[in-house]
């Protein structure tokens, strides 16, 4: 079973996506949120923190790998820095997903709980960008 | 030629940089409000307050230039937030790797540290010259430093020409169309504004020219004579 990490500029958005994804998966899938930037008073600001992301990857770690879902922009940069901080053996089993954050996380949680591989889960999550939400006439 | 830049000078440089950013917080925010999301000043200030705290602590555990730069990098990637955090963090991490275990470096080594740092920024941010980013200030400065090292110029001359090159690069961003980050969504409307990232990057070379060319007074380099302003009261 792979692990999932949710990266967003917003702490609450990452938590919300994690909550939603948790609902779609089984208990044996670890989903960890790493959103926002904590200041010295423990308050969250908009931003991303590579150190927290690296910790989240370690928390979600499974030998089967970790899929990282993210919003955009500097979330990608911070996640790249986080991956660079990890031991190479761990880094090789981590993927950043190009999937849309919310839809991708829901699909990934579902696919992961079916025991699919890292690559399979990522493909399914990325395909969520073509998801037709509204029935065509 | 043969002049070395020591660990206390690097510490003095980073303290001066942190103070300059804190002083210019409002200006950086104002620049970012025009074409970005108005957070560059506050983001950089948050990181720099931590850098000051760390480097002014009685024991910062930084016994060589590599570990000093690495500690600054870790603060930037974990507390700055926007793209600037991972980009400056990568710059300092890569430069730190070149200066690992060094308690002093020569001008050619300094040029190599900055070149390696610049390559890290470009690898991470995928920006090239004229994209209206920090690269527009850093790349000309690195090239000036390399040219000065090649020509065996003094440290003072080399750092002054790097500062001048960074300044021209920063000012040139006014004419450019942004091709990276939030500002790129503005397209041609981003012309006419100076890039905030190029501006905070210029301060690296401005403060380097002020601090790295002259020897630090032994042991008391934290007492900064020239800048009496107290860095942002919390």
């Amino acid at each position: 079973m792979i692990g999932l990490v949710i990266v967003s500029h917003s702490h609450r958005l990452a938590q919300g996506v994690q909550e939603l994804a948790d609902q779609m998966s089984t208990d044996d899938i670890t989903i960890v949120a790493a959103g926002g930037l904590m200041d010295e008073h423990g308050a969250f600001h908009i931003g991303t923190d590579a150190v927290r992301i690296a910790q989240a990857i370690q928390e979600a770690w499974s030998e089967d790998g970790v899929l990282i879902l993210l919003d955009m922009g500097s979330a990608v940069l911070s996640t790249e820095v986080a991956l660079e901080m990890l031991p190479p053996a761990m880094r090789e089993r981590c993927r950043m997903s190009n999937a849309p954050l919310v839809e991708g996380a829901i699909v990934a949680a579902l696919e992961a709980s079916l025991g699919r591989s890292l690559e399979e889960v990522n493909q399914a999550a990325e395909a969520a960008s073509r998801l037709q939400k509204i029935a065509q006439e | 030629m043969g002049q070395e830049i020591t660990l206390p000078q690097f510490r003095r440089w980073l303290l001066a940089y942190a103070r300059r950013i804190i002083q210019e917080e409002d200006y950086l925010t104002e620049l970012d409000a025009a074409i970005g999301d108005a957070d560059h000043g506050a983001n950089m200030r948050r990181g720099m307050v931590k850098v000051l705290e760390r480097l002014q602590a009685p024991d910062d555990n930084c016994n060589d230039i590599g570990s000093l730069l690495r500690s600054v990098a870790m603060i930037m990637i974990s507390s700055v937030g926007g793209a600037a955090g991972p980009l400056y963090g990568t710059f300092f991490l890569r430069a730190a790797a070149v200066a690992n275990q060094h308690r002093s470096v020569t001008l050619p080594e300094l040029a190599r540290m900055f070149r390696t740092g610049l390559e890290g920024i470009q690898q991470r941010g995928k920006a090239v010259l004229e994209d209206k980013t920090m690269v527009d200030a850093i790349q000309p400065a690195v090239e000036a430093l390399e040219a000065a090292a090649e020509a065996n110029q003094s440290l003072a001359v080399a750092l002054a020409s790097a500062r001048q090159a960074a300044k021209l690069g920063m000012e040139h961003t006014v004419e450019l169309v942004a091709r990276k980050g939030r500002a790129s969504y503005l397209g041609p409307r981003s012309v006419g504004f100076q890039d905030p990232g190029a501006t905070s990057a210029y301060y690296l070379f401005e403060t380097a020219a002020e601090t790295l060319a002259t020897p630090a007074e032994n042991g008391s380099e934290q007492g900064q004579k020239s800048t009496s302003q107290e860095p942002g009261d919390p």
Side-chain angles (χ1 to χ4, degrees):
Chain A
M1 297 280 186
I2 70 161
L4 300 179
V5 169
I6 311 295
V7 178
S8 167
H9 282 69
S10 156
H11 170 64
R12 286 191 289 175
L13 179 56
Q15 278 198 321
V17 172
Q18 178 206 14
E19 182 190 14
L20 206 48
D22 263 334
Q23 184 69 35
M24 304 302 289
S25 69
T26 47
D27 289 345
D28 44 4
I29 300 292
T30 310
I31 307 175
V32 183
L37 196 66
M38 207 198 316
D39 68 16
E40 60 272 30
H41 312 295
F44 280 99
H45 298 264
I46 295 294
T48 51
D49 169 353
V51 175
R52 279 189 69 229
I53 297 168
Q55 284 164 355
I57 293 170
Q58 280 165 323
E59 253 178 82
W61 177 248
S62 137
E63 290 293 327
D64 295 323
V66 172
L67 187 66
I68 304 149
L69 293 121
L70 18 78
D71 51 20
M72 60 192 286
S74 50
V76 180
L77 304 184
S78 285
T79 303
E80 285 174 355
V81 173
L83 290 172
E84 228 170 79
M85 289 161 50
L86 296 173
M90 205 176 219
R91 191 189 311 150
E92 279 163 24
R93 299 299 298 149
C94 291
R95 292 281 176 286
M96 278 195 288
S97 181
N98 208 22
L101 180 60
V102 178
E103 293 86 341
I106 292 172
V107 170
L110 205 141
E111 295 284 334
S113 58
L114 298 173
R116 306 256 200 260
S117 72
L118 182 61
E119 300 307 335
E120 289 168 334
V121 174
N122 187 30
Q123 273 171 23
E126 289 185 348
S129 64
R130 300 187 297 272
L131 188 72
Q132 207 69 47
K133 296 179 201 181
I134 300 165
Q136 299 297 296
E137 291 294 306
Chain B
M1 218 190 122
Q3 268 173 291
E4 301 249 325
I5 311 167
T6 62
L7 176 62
Q9 282 171 285
F10 273 95
R11 194 174 271 122
R12 192 171 62 168
W13 169 47
L14 294 166
L15 285 166
Y17 180 64
R19 291 191 177 105
R20 182 65 43 86
I21 291 289
I22 292 167
Q23 273 169 20
E24 302 296 342
E25 175 188 354
D26 291 346
Y27 176 53
L28 292 172
T29 295
E30 185 189 314
L31 292 175
D32 198 28
I35 54 172
D37 48 3
D39 64 356
H40 192 56
N43 284 348
M44 290 295 286
R45 177 191 185 279
R46 198 165 46 234
M48 291 304 112
V49 166
K50 287 196 177 172
V51 167
L52 283 186
E53 270 171 28
R54 177 74 197 266
L55 299 189
Q56 286 174 323
D59 184 13
D60 63 10
N61 282 322
C62 298
N63 299 317
D64 67 85
I65 296 165
S67 64
L68 178 71
L69 296 182
R70 205 168 302 113
S71 73
V72 169
M74 293 309 285
I75 291 171
M76 296 201 80
I77 65 175
S78 62
S79 63
V80 172
L87 291 172
Y88 279 118
T90 301
F91 177 81
F92 284 113
L93 272 181
R94 298 291 161 86
V98 177
N100 220 2
Q101 308 288 325
H102 284 54
R103 291 180 63 87
S104 68
V105 295
T106 60
L107 172 57
E109 285 169 332
L110 181 73
R112 199 153 55 81
M113 286 165 62
F114 285 176
R115 167 62 70 180
T116 311
L118 169 65
E119 285 168 356
I121 286 180
Q122 294 197 280
Q123 178 205 344
R124 185 115 300 143
K126 311 279 186 290
V128 295
L129 215 50
E130 309 242 303
D131 278 351
K132 200 178 180 100
T133 70
M134 55 172 69
V135 171
D136 291 309
I138 300 175
Q139 187 172 320
V142 170
E143 285 166 2
L145 219 48
E146 287 169 343
E150 188 72 23
N152 274 333
Q153 279 170 332
S154 73
L155 206 46
V157 169
L159 289 165
S161 76
R163 173 194 3 211
Q164 182 61 12
K167 185 165 191 282
L168 293 176
M170 166 187 80
E171 288 166 355
H172 179 55
T173 62
V174 174
E175 299 153 35
L176 300 173
V177 175
R179 288 196 288 246
K180 289 286 165 196
R182 187 189 180 282
S184 65
Y185 293 91
L186 296 178
R189 281 181 293 154
S190 62
V191 174
F193 301 97
Q194 186 170 301
D195 181 61
T199 309
S200 60
Y202 161 68
Y203 296 139
L204 281 176
F205 296 95
E206 189 189 58
T207 52
E210 291 165 0
T211 55
L212 294 183
T214 48
E217 315 85 276
N218 241 352
S220 64
E221 74 280 358
Q222 292 166 358
Q224 290 294 295
K225 304 161 294 186
S226 54
T227 44
S228 54
Q229 293 95 325
E230 266 316 295
D233 306 315

